[in-house]
Amino acid sequence: SSSPALYRLLLDSLEWMETGAKPELLLRYFEMRLLQLSGFAPELYHISSTRYWPAGSPNVLCQRVILII
């Protein structure tokens, strides 16, 4: 089955590539959007209620994550 959103992602990415966009940024965008469209995107919007990463992880203060897709 075809996916209009997937074809739109491919077309948008190719058009963006023509503008001289940074390839690394374009690739990360494409990967994240493809994961989202296929239902496998990571949940980057969740912030720990303790504001620290789980026990056993380095004691790093959690920063707010903004994902624009």
Side-chain angles (χ1 to χ4, degrees):
S1 78
S2 65
S3 171
L6 182 57
Y7 289 120
R8 183 79 240 172
L9 171 62
L10 179 58
L11 181 60
D12 289 346
S13 297
L14 292 172
E15 288 173 353
W16 193 13
M17 196 181 308
E18 287 181 337
T19 69
K22 293 183 178 180
E24 300 83 13
L25 181 60
L26 175 58
L27 181 57
R28 296 296 88 79
Y29 172 80
F30 185 88
E31 290 170 338
M32 289 302 295
R33 186 71 175 116
L34 183 59
L35 286 171
Q36 184 183 41
L37 290 172
S38 63
F40 292 101
E43 295 184 22
L44 299 177
Y45 55 84
H46 180 73
I47 302 295
S48 171
S49 61
T50 63
R51 294 184 49 97
Y52 289 94
W53 297 106
S57 298
N59 196 18
V60 177
L61 185 63
C62 179
Q63 298 294 317
R64 189 172 296 245
V65 177
I66 299 173
L67 180 61
I68 302 172
I69 292 184

